[in-house]
Amino acid sequence: LSPKQALLMASQAFLGAARFVVEGGDLSSLMIEIATPGGTTEAGYRVMDQTNVAEHIEKTIQASVEKAK
């Protein structure tokens, strides 16, 4: 993908997930529902798990909250 295509694809994914949560959906169930076994989303989740993405995001948010105080 070109950088422009990748940005558009990621933006649409985040927008859809955000809309789902704002409308009362459970994010963990969304992740399970959209990940086809053996598919691209599942492959992405696997990489995110292996590289501790959630931990990095948590630390980033914590640092932002501390800075905002």
Side-chain angles (χ1 to χ4, degrees):
L1 293 175
S2 72
K4 185 177 181 177
Q5 290 171 317
L7 179 59
L8 179 60
M9 185 177 172
S11 298
Q12 290 174 337
F14 278 104
L15 181 61
R19 184 176 295 127
F20 179 81
V21 171
V22 167
E23 293 174 357
D26 175 43
L27 190 56
S28 60
S29 68
L30 173 67
M31 293 170 67
I32 293 167
E33 289 177 29
I34 65 171
T36 303
T40 57
T41 302
E42 184 182 66
Y45 287 159
R46 190 170 35 255
V47 170
M48 288 171 46
D49 284 341
Q50 292 169 349
T51 58
N52 297 317
V53 169
E55 181 181 341
H56 294 293
I57 292 172
E58 287 176 26
K59 288 181 179 180
T60 300
I61 292 169
Q62 288 173 353
S64 298
V65 167
E66 289 300 315
K67 181 67 176 175
K69 288 183 179 179

